[in-house]
Structures are given as structure tokens and as C-alpha cells.
Amino acid sequence: MVAVSEASYSLEGVGSAGRSAHSGECPVARADDHAGAGRPLVLKGAGLRSTMFRRVLQLGLGPGLLTRGLSTRRGVSTLDWDAKVSEFKKKIECILPGKPWETQLYDTSHLPPEQSDVVIIGGGIFGLSVAFWLKKLEKKQDAIRVLVVDQDHTYSQASSAGLSVGGIWQQFSMPENVRLSLFSVEFLRNINEYLAVVDAPPVDLRFNPSGCLLLASEKDAAALENNVKIQRQEGAKVCLMSPEQLQNKFPWVNTEGVALASYGMENEGWFDAWSLLQGLRRKVRSMGVLFCQGEVTRFITSSSCVEGPNGEEMVLKRIHKLHVKMDKSLEYQPVECAIVINAAGAWSGHIAKLAGIGKGPPGTLQGTKLPVEPRKRYVYLWHCPQGPGLETPLVADTSGVYFRREGLGSNYLGGCSPTEEEEPDPANLEVDHDFFQNKVWPHLAQRVPAFQTLKVQSAWAGYYDYNTFDQNGVVGPHPLVVNMYFATGFSGHGLQHALGVGRAVAEVVLEGEFKTINMSPFLFTRFYLEDKLQEYNIL
Amino acid sequence: MAAPWAFLRLGIREWNGGTRSIHGMSESVAPGGNQKRRTLLQYLGDHFYDIQALREFLLLRQMLKLNRKNRSFIGINEKYGPYVTGALFILKLGGAVKFQDKEWIRPNERGRFSADFLAFREVPVEAVDASGCAINYLGLDNLLALKELQSLSLQRCPNVDDWCLSRLYPLAGSLQELLLAGCPRVSERGLACLHHLQNLRRLDISDLPAVSHPGLTHILVEEMLPHCEVLGADWAQGLKLGPEQQPQDTSSPVSA
């Protein structure tokens, strides 16, 4: 075995090493005439055989042709040859009998690969969506290596997975949001064409096409009408209802205080987010994306000074490596990457801070932080035997309280977004039942009289990746950290926009611009330019 | 290349027992299931990447074929009007159509039908019988323009699912009879959006395998559509018998 390794050194080595090996017959002499220390001197009896082998090759292929050709093909000339050789020698020594080999050769299957073209931080709906579209839109199969890093494979705290209410609706005030929702609905409808994996059962989304009902009081009625006009222009099927029509259609509603209602007739409702996530994961795995469980702890970057358009100095950063730390251990793996996608949901702000976004004097582009932070939201499940019937849509009240039916057994799911002063502490996911008693139930009982008698069965809490600036998402590259892209910050409607946003980010990464839906209003630069995208109704 | 292709086709049909569905390639073998049902292509696909790619392509092609069958006939619509378009679409899929005051038009066993109805430009279509046809969400485009449709039968349609039912609301003004018996993909979630059809007088929801609690769903649908006669699961199905209704077994010494 040693002889073979010797011969292979000479073939693959840097030109000089190979050539110096040719000259000496005597193995000892070789140590002197080559500058590289740590040349293996194990050539004892095998030395003669390998030099003859080399001679034959040399004669056959011309001097230096073999070594030079192979080294340029492999690009080996830039390797730290001596370090590699000593490492390899240590490994071989351990395999030899009499040495403890378990300590040297250990299982690294839990570690991510050392290099990856694209690293997606966050394996929730946004991360998987970006991975899916990157693999779908790449020009050649397996052209780019994609790695998805997530800190929790069980998704116990993921906002988009089991904790989500799962609603999807097109009733937004921004046309891009409406388009994103429409695209998501079309994707969900044809999910078994998009996510088909041979020999696997089809994805069962359990979509309830019951629609979404938004109620507006006097002061919001004009804004609602305007929004419905925009939604209709984009192709959403939404109709406006007066209080009398509302009472006729849904007799269980108390229309006191409602001036106008908008009702989505088609393509709106709710579905099982967990099965979507699992279906995406399965498909993305079959397309060749690598997964790793770990936490990103550090970015290794390099910066360069460039002159901006107004003549001022700008510091552009580029991420070269990131450190992925394993769970419950100090072991980490540096992963070399070309592009990093921040899809970490509620923790995106933390990841952005690690990359150095926001380190600078406030008011400058360098000092603009990513304003995404985790906010805790509660969802309550209650039982009400005389409640609204099978036709109940997802109802969003004027006060901000929302609810929907769950299953056939008179169970309902709902919650409310608290005001700024009442924001719960996001340090843990404990549920506050008093919040339901004081803030949610009175409004529910006022809007639906049948809810005066209800019994809370269970409740849970989850994080919103809350964008404190304008509660709309951040999509696209960062102007200063040139290879970090964002796909986060959608504050509660991420699940319905994720599929369209994933496609947009994949288009920017692969082709440089947004092709299908123009997401340029959602770029990071609006935080610096103080350009708010106000969205009317945040559930 | 025709010969090996035909050989593989033969292989598939034989090994599959002659039946193919849209997910025929993906749903056939349960994990640890019987070895007999494995197809030649499945076996080869486990061992070769190119056969796997071939299988994925075949799966995609099946889906594309279905979508082609369900395309909208825009040209026909411009020339002959919505009623003739809807009728042509249904007849091509293998269903039957009834124009107002006319007889039912059905294709014969060969799939051929007479082209007389092309003259009925202004005659509205009254009833459509699409039982067993491969109509899906896209195909409903052609049917939704039939504003005077009174009876729609979608019995045993393999591709009609909850999404299709959510699309039926434009027919609310005229639809009086809807038959959904035996559709494998319709569940109680799709039935919930039938509340738009306020003129419905007859609804058949029997034998829906995807509905989880047929008796309870029947009751809830009846509550949702008070003026409609709902034929479906017997509401007592699935209920436990009370003590007085237990069969009296006097022969055995130990009775309940």
C-alpha cells in the first residue's frame, strides 16, 4: 500500500516534486534536493519499483507532460501540499495494525459539506421554497450545490409549520402581495404536479376553500373598498357586502358596527401547513439538496472599499465562509459558500447582525439594521356546540380578532394580534390564558353571539418574524453585504407568500433580476430610505 | 426505438394488471407491500438514475395529457358561443348534454357524436351529465359559462376535488341538482363551499370515500342548505346501538 501511495504522490504532485523524484535512484538523496520538508521517506524496498514505474510513464508520455497535465486538470497546484501529505500519512499509519484507528477516522456524516454554492440559513417554508425553486430553475441538472441549515429538525418552534393557523387569502392592499397569494394558491392547487416524487404518496393538503371574510368599521370602509378594487384588478375573486347582505348570508354574525365586508369567494381558505412543509422537504431532498442540523455562529467575510455614485466611500463585504455549530457540542464546520440566503424567520435579525449588517453610525446605510425580530403570538382552540356552521369562512373582525372552524366537531381556532403596549415577552413560548379572557373573548362574543358560551380546549404560541418597520417582507440582496439575500420578515403572512417569494429569490440569484413578480418594493434599501409599505390588515 | 418502447409498455400493463391511474406509478406499492405488484420500471428505477428520470417524465406526461384534455376551447367559444362550447367539451370527454327542450345528446360506444348541436347557438344548456369523465379544475372553465344550467352530474369523476367544488358558485343562480356520488377526491371541506348554491334542491353526496365522518357531514350539510334535499349517508350509520336494540341472544347462558 505504501508503494502505491508513493507512486500516486509523484503523479499528482506539484511539478517540482514529481520532477525531483525522477532524478534520484537513492531515496535518501531525494530528501536533500527538495525544499519541502516532511517528504515521506518510507521508500525502502518499494523505491526501486516506483522509480521504474515513473520512468516508464515518463518515457511513454514525455517529460513533465504527465505531471503538468494532471496537476492543471486537478488544480492541485494551489493546495497546501505538505499539510495534506502529513495528514494522509497519519491516517495511513492508523490503519496499519497495532495503532488505535477509531480515534483518527471518525464519522462525519452529521457535518455539512466543506463547500457549497448556496447556503440557505433556515429550513422552514421560506428556506425550502428557495431551495426548491433554485433546483427547479437551474439551467443544468445538479449545476449548483444547495445546503439547507436549520437549528431544529423537529420544527418545534418554526412559525410556518405545525404552529401556523394555515390561512391563505388574497385580500391585501399591495398588488404584489395579491399576486404572490394568487401564485401560492395556484401552486397549492397543482401541488402534486410540482412536488411529484415517484413512488411517494401524493401530498394531502386538506385545503378548506371556505373563503375569508374581512369586516370593516365606518372609518376603514373606504380603505377596504379601495383594496378590493386593487385585488379585483389583479384577478382575485373578492366581493363587497353590505351589512344586510352579510346578515342574509351568515345569520350568526352580529353586524353592529360593521359598515362594509369583503368576502373572498374562491382561492381563499386554510390548509395544513405541516403537510406542505413535509411535501416540500421530500421533493427538495429528491432534487439533491443537502440538509444539515446546526446553528450558524459566525461569518468569515472580506471587505473592499468602493467609491459610491456620489463620490463617498462605501465598504462592500463578501461572505466567504460560515461556521455551522452542531447541536449540544462545540464542534463546528466551516462551510465555504458563494451565496448565503437568510431565511431564518424569527431569528433573521440575529443572523443579519452576525454578518455585520447594522454595524455603523445610525442613519447611514451601513448602520441600517434588519428590523426583523421575533414576536410571540397566541392561538386558541375552543369548542362551541351552537357555533357557526360548516360554511364559516376565516373571519377577521374590525377589532383585529380572527377565527376559523377546525374540523367537523364545532371546534374553532383563533386569536388576535396584541397592540404595541401589550406585546408579550418573546423569550419563551408560554401561553397567556388571561389574554384570551380579556382581549379576545369579548370581541368574539360581541361579533358572534353564539360564542358567549364557549370552552377553550387548548392553546399554543408561536413566533412571528415581525418586521418592526412596516410589517411587510424583506426580499432580495443586501446592498453592502453583496452575497447575502433575504427572504424573511413577512410578519404572519409568510406561509402564503413563501412560494412566490422563493421563486423571486431564485430568479435574483440565478438571473440577477426579478422576472415574474417584481419584488423591488421589498428590497432592503427601503429601510434606509424610510419608505414604508403599509399593509392595511395584519392578522 | 419503437420496439423496446412497446416491450416496456407491454411489461407495465401486464405487471400492473391492466389498470392505470394518474398516480399509477406512484401509489402502487405500499412500504413492505406485496412484491407481485412491482412493475419492471419500478424495479429498474431503483437501480438506475436514467430509468428514474424516465419514470418522472412519464408521470409528468400523464398529467400533461389530462390538462390537454381539459383545455378551454377559446376558438370555438368565439365562433359558436358559450353553450355550444360547453356541450362540445362535455361530449368530447365522454359525457352527455341536454339542451333546453331537446333530447339528451350522448356519444356512442365509439365516442362519436353527431354535430347537429352546432346549430343551437342561442339554446341554453339545461343539464350536463359528466359521470365518469376526466374533468378537472381547468375543465370547469368551459362549464361555468352555462348560466342556465339546472342539473350537473359529476358522479364517479376521478379528478373532481374540493377545488372544483369551490369553483361552482357562478352557477348559483340556476343550479338545482348536483350529483357527486362516488367521487374519490371530494371531502367535507369541499362540501362546505356548496353553501353558495342557494337554489339547490337536490344534492347527492353518497359514497364519498374521502369524507371522514359521512353521517355527521350529512347533518351539517343539511343544516347549511335548508331548502335542499340531501341524499347521502344514512345518518344513523356509524352510531352505536343502544342497549334495547342489542340483539337478544337467549341461547347462550351468559347474556349481555
Side-chain angles (χ1 to χ4, degrees), chain A residues 141 185-186 188-190 192-194 196-202 204-210 237 249-250 263-267 283 286 389-392 405 408-409, chain B residues 23 25-29 38 42 46 52 55-56 59-60 63 67 137 161-163 166-167 169 187-193 195-196 212-213 216-217 220-221 223-224:
Chain A
Q141 208 192 26
V185 159
E186 190 253 313
L188 293 177
R189 190 168 57 233
N190 298 317
N192 286 311
E193 279 178 33
Y194 283 105
V197 175
V198 185
D199 279 343
D204 180 19
L205 277 184
R206 293 138 108 69
F207 182 73
N208 287 63
S210 298
K237 311 266 192 309
K249 194 138 184 109
F250 301 115
Y263 181 46
M265 316 270 277
E266 209 189 319
N267 290 338
K283 175 69 177 174
S286 84
L390 200 58
E391 74 276 7
T392 316
R405 246 193 107 100
L408 285 175
Chain B
H23 284 297
M25 305 233 178
S26 52
E27 279 181 321
S28 38
V29 177
R38 244 170 117 68
Q42 261 183 327
D46 279 347
Q52 181 82 334
R55 291 188 68 206
E56 279 169 15
L59 191 59
L60 201 63
M63 294 180 184
N67 286 339
Y137 184 91
D161 56 10
D162 299 333
W163 296 91
S166 80
R167 228 185 163 194
Y169 65 88
S187 74
E188 66 269 18
R189 300 177 280 275
L191 295 177
C193 37
H195 73 276
H196 292 283
S212 45
H213 300 101
L216 181 57
T217 313
L220 289 170
V221 170
E223 272 178 30
M224 191 171 82

Side-chain angles (χ1 to χ4, degrees), chain B residues 107-183:
Chain B
N108 60 11
E109 315 79 45
R110 292 266 205 88
R112 304 256 176 90
F113 45 86
S114 76
D116 301 338
F117 67 93
L118 289 176
F120 302 155
R121 278 202 70 168
E122 302 301 322
V123 184
V125 173
E126 206 174 52
V128 162
D129 177 10
S131 316
C133 296
I135 188 170
N136 71 0
Y137 184 91
L138 292 173
L140 276 185
D141 264 340
N142 295 312
L143 285 187
L144 294 177
L146 304 171
K147 289 291 175 232
E148 281 92 358
L149 190 67
Q150 285 174 12
S151 156
L152 178 60
S153 166
L154 294 171
Q155 303 188 57
R156 299 177 309 279
C157 290
N159 297 312
V160 163
D161 56 10
D162 299 333
W163 296 91
C164 299
L165 291 186
S166 80
R167 228 185 163 194
L168 289 179
Y169 65 88
L171 300 173
S174 60
L175 197 67
Q176 288 174 8
E177 185 185 3
L178 180 61
L179 307 173
L180 294 172
C183 292

Side-chain angles (χ1 to χ4, degrees), chain A residues 218-255:
Chain A
E218 277 292 339
K219 61 178 174 65
D220 298 325
L224 188 73
E225 212 177 318
N226 214 15
N227 291 346
V228 170
K229 206 161 41 172
I230 298 176
Q231 288 148 24
R232 279 236 179 98
Q233 264 171 354
E234 295 294 334
K237 311 266 192 309
V238 184
C239 72
L240 281 170
M241 292 205 284
S242 66
E244 295 78 39
Q245 287 171 324
L246 184 63
Q247 190 75 76
N248 274 344
K249 194 138 184 109
F250 301 115
W252 38 263
V253 172
N254 171 16
T255 53

Side-chain angles (χ1 to χ4, degrees), chain A residues 420-538:
Chain A
E420 282 293 332
E421 302 83 45
E422 303 159 344
E423 280 289 346
D425 180 20
N428 56 21
L429 285 180
E430 298 288 322
V431 180
D432 181 10
H433 292 277
D434 293 328
F435 182 75
F436 183 78
Q437 288 285 117
N438 303 335
K439 301 281 184 250
V440 182
W441 196 3
H443 296 291
L444 277 179
Q446 202 249 333
R447 189 55 62 205
V448 181
F451 282 157
Q452 271 156 11
T453 51
L454 57 79
K455 188 168 189 311
V456 176
Q457 307 275 48
S458 81
W460 61 85
Y463 291 120
Y464 270 15
D465 47 347
Y466 194 78
N467 182 346
T468 50
F469 186 71
D470 57 10
Q471 291 90 54
N472 253 321
V474 190
V475 176
H478 188 273
L480 294 179
V481 180
V482 291
N483 58 351
M484 174 172 266
Y485 293 78
F486 296 108
T488 178
F490 278 82
S491 323
H493 36 97
L495 180 63
Q496 42 187 309
H497 291 325
L499 297 158
V501 166
R503 188 176 59 166
V505 172
E507 284 168 358
V508 169
V509 166
L510 293 173
E511 295 172 47
E513 51 176 8
F514 297 114
K515 289 251 145 95
T516 41
I517 302 179
N518 185 11
M519 303 281 292
S520 26
F522 291 84
L523 287 174
F524 183 91
T525 40
R526 76 180 193 272
F527 302 134
Y528 172 59
L529 300 170
E530 310 261 337
D531 202 3
K532 285 200 183 193
L533 299 172
Q534 276 300 16
E535 187 53 65
Y536 165 64
N537 208 358
I538 313 297

Side-chain angles (χ1 to χ4, degrees), chain A residues 91 114 117 136 146 157 204 221 223 253 255 294 327 376 443 484 531:
Chain A
K91 280 193 185 160
E114 289 172 9
D117 295 310
K136 196 155 152 78
V146 181
Q157 292 191 334
D204 180 19
V253 172
T255 53
D327 204 24
K376 190 157 77 160
H443 296 291
M484 174 172 266
D531 202 3

